[in-house]
């Protein structure tokens, strides 16, 4: 398998980052959904948010690298059986998912640093607050974070369903290309 993308297929770096981000996004969403229901006396009350914030910061780093990789390494051409609508919808969905991931991560960062404190990433390093104390910022950022993450998960779910539709109904290589198992040579 190629490291870089080719005109007909994705490279191993793109594929690995795609699936890493997908797992992180759905994992963070599940963890976030679960942890908001924890009580003060729950054993995970402090641990779950620390994990959520740490993985979120690491995801931000991966997404910056992924965006740089994407800009330096264009995606393969669309498959010949894809309609103009499908190509436009796919490009629009990908762009919106990038925007939503960054909005979710930035708003999550602003929630956690609204009181001026930094974020400890698994005790490996600290990410300082760039805003200092801003009264009420966590409420606004929380609302943005809530809706951005829901929109992201719904859109990512539709993205996955579209890939399954291409695989099972259209019987094309759309999903295989992102699994690194397409039938055509790179």
């Amino acid at each position: 398998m190629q490291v870089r993308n080719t005109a007909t297929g994705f490279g191993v770096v793109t594929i690995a980052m795609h699936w890493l981000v997908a797992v992180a996004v759905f994992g963070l969403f599940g963890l976030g959904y679960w942890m908001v229901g924890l009580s003060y006396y729950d054993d995970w009350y402090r641990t779950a948010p620390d994990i959520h914030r740490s993985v979120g910061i690491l995801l931000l780093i991966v997404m910056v690298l992924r965006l740089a990789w994407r800009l330096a390494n264009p995606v393969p051409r669309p498959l010949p059986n894809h309609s103009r609508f499908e190509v436009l919808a796919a490009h629009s969905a990908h762009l919106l998912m990038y925007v939503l991931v960054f909005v979710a991560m930035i708003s999550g960062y602003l929630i956690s640093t609204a009181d001026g404190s930094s974020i400890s990433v698994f005790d490996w390093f600290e990410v300082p607050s760039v805003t200092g104390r801003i009264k009420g910022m966590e409420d606004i950022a929380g609302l943005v974070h809530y809706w951005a993450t829901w929109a992201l998960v719904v859109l990512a779910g539709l993205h996955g369903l579209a890939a399954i539709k291409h695989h099972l109904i259209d019987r094309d290589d759309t999903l295989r290309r992102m699994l690194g198992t397409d039938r055509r040579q790179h």
Side-chain angles (χ1 to χ4, degrees):
M1 176 177 281
Q2 300 278 343
V3 172
R4 295 180 58 88
N5 297 343
T6 67
T8 59
F10 292 102
V12 68
V13 173
T14 300
I15 293 169
M17 283 194 282
H18 173 274
W19 292 109
L20 176 63
V21 168
V23 167
V25 163
F26 281 100
L28 283 169
F29 183 82
L31 179 59
Y33 188 80
W34 172 72
M35 74 184 191
V36 295
L38 296 175
S39 74
Y40 180 80
Y41 299 103
D42 195 299
D43 292 340
W44 282 91
Y45 181 76
R46 289 202 189 350
T47 305
D50 287 342
I51 292 169
H52 188 83
R53 285 186 291 264
S54 293
V55 173
I57 294 293
L58 294 177
L59 178 60
L60 176 59
I61 294 166
V62 169
M63 282 301 298
V64 168
L65 294 172
R66 183 177 183 188
L67 184 58
W69 181 257
R70 168 65 181 85
L71 294 172
N73 193 30
V75 297
R77 290 186 307 264
L79 294 174
N81 67 307
H82 290 181
S83 70
R84 181 160 171 71
F85 171 78
E86 287 173 317
V87 172
L88 182 61
H91 285 305
S92 300
H94 284 109
L95 177 62
L96 186 54
M97 281 190 285
Y98 270 93
V99 169
L100 288 170
V101 167
F102 281 106
V103 167
M105 290 183 297
I106 292 166
S107 60
Y109 166 81
L110 292 173
I111 294 166
S112 299
T113 60
D115 64 355
S117 63
S118 61
I119 298 173
S120 174
V121 180
F122 294 119
D123 291 328
W124 299 338
F125 60 93
E126 299 268 328
V127 179
S129 172
V130 295
T131 60
R133 293 177 190 260
I134 298 179
K135 187 170 176 61
M137 182 171 69
E138 67 274 8
D139 295 329
I140 295 166
L143 193 60
V144 170
H145 190 70
Y146 177 85
W147 288 110
T149 55
W150 270 104
L152 176 60
V153 167
V154 168
L155 186 57
L158 292 172
H159 174 67
L161 289 173
I164 292 168
K165 174 254 186 201
H166 277 284
H167 188 72
L168 297 176
I169 296 171
D170 299 343
R171 300 202 179 275
D172 67 25
D173 284 331
T174 300
L175 181 58
R176 285 187 198 91
R177 289 197 326 180
M178 193 44 76
L179 293 171
T181 61
D182 55 336
R183 295 176 282 208
R184 295 167 295 124
Q185 294 291 16
H186 285 18

